[in-house]
């Protein structure tokens, strides 16, 4: 595949508690273009505020509490995970994911130098391509790392469709 830009792609997904006013990070999973993965679970989210949907679909997938980390640690981990690469972020239906990601750093303007101030949304790409059937996710949905891995496979699939149709990749 030709490559119009030199940024390194990162697919990510988050789980969070949404109380209709704010969103609070529970977990984040990230996959890099060269196949590395990161998974972090916050120890600062008040899980007693989780509604029954989050309890049932998200909390059941969390690992043992001993592996949970502070938000500052997760921020540092992600900064190291991305390293010196100029990242290109991809999410799926990810308006909330993008905000909760930025909030790890503070304001959006606190993102490290070189990070774009937006994420690309697979859902938008899916819509533009005529809403094709996407690959089935065979792992646990609503586990942030499994979802991030699915995002990457869905991206690969959509890029294949794009290339078949238009010959050249837009990204
Ligand atoms: Mg998810």
């Amino acid at each position: 595949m030709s490559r119009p830009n030199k940024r390194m792609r990162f697919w990510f997904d988050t789980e969070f508690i949404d109380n209709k006013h704010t969103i609070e990070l529970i977990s984040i999973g990230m996959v890099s273009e060269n196949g590395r993965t990161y998974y972090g679970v916050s120890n600062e989210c008040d899980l007693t505020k989780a509604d029954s949907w989050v309890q049932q679909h998200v909390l059941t997938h969390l690992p043992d509490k001993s592996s949970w980390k502070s938000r500052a640690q997760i921020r540092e981990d992600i900064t190291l995970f991305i390293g010196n690469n100029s990242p290109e972020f991809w999410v799926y239906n990810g308006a909330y994911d993008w905000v909760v990601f930025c909030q790890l750093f503070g304001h959006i303007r606190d993102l490290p130098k070189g990070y774009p101030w937006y994420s690309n949304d697979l859902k938008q790409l899916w819509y533009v391509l005529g809403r094709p059937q996407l690959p089935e996710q065979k792992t646990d949905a609503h586990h942030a790392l499994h979802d991030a891995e699915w995002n990457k496979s869905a991206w690969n699939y959509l890029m294949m469709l794009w290339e078949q149709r238009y010959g050249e990749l837009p990204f």
Side-chain angles (χ1 to χ4, degrees), residues 13-16 58 97 137 140-148:
D13 183 67
T14 65
E15 304 300 333
F16 48 81
V58 176
D97 299 273
Q137 182 170 350
D140 292 327
H142 311 300
H143 178 296
L145 181 55
H146 294 166
D147 288 356

Side-chain angles (χ1 to χ4, degrees), residues 47-99:
L47 298 180
T48 64
K49 302 233 168 88
D51 63 21
S52 58
W53 189 93
V54 170
Q55 285 174 23
Q56 185 184 341
H57 295 94
V58 176
L59 303 191
T60 47
H61 300 314
L62 295 181
D64 188 82
K65 273 188 179 173
S66 61
S67 65
W68 299 4
K69 299 168 182 178
S70 67
R71 292 166 54 86
Q73 183 64 55
I74 293 172
R75 177 176 67 241
E76 194 177 325
D77 291 348
I78 288 173
T79 306
L80 286 171
F81 182 76
I82 292 171
N84 293 325
N85 299 293
S86 293
E88 176 181 286
F89 296 117
W90 284 88
V91 288
Y92 182 81
N93 215 3
Y96 282 56
D97 299 273
W98 176 242
V99 172

Side-chain angles (χ1 to χ4, degrees), residues 28 30 71-72 74-80 82 89 98-113 115:
I28 180 165
M30 192 172 269
R71 292 166 54 86
I74 293 172
R75 177 176 67 241
E76 194 177 325
D77 291 348
I78 288 173
T79 306
L80 286 171
I82 292 171
F89 296 117
W98 176 242
V99 172
V100 86
F101 174 81
C102 290
Q103 286 177 342
L104 276 171
F105 295 87
H107 299 287
I108 192 169
R109 61 180 180 267
D110 297 320
L111 287 173
K113 197 163 178 283
Y115 286 27

Side-chain angles (χ1 to χ4, degrees), residues 1-63:
M1 287 186 180
S2 61
R3 182 70 193 276
N5 77 50
K6 297 263 194 301
R7 288 180 174 269
M8 180 170 276
R9 296 181 185 111
F10 292 86
W11 294 263
F12 73 89
D13 183 67
T14 65
E15 304 300 333
F16 48 81
I17 290 177
D18 166 16
N19 70 7
K20 303 180 193 172
H21 299 283
T22 59
I23 48 177
E24 193 70 39
L25 180 78
I26 298 174
S27 57
I28 180 165
M30 192 172 269
V31 182
S32 73
E33 190 170 340
N34 57 9
R36 294 178 302 119
T37 61
Y38 175 73
Y39 181 56
V41 180
S42 169
N43 62 14
E44 296 181 42
C45 184
D46 182 358
L47 298 180
T48 64
K49 302 233 168 88
D51 63 21
S52 58
W53 189 93
V54 170
Q55 285 174 23
Q56 185 184 341
H57 295 94
V58 176
L59 303 191
T60 47
H61 300 314
L62 295 181

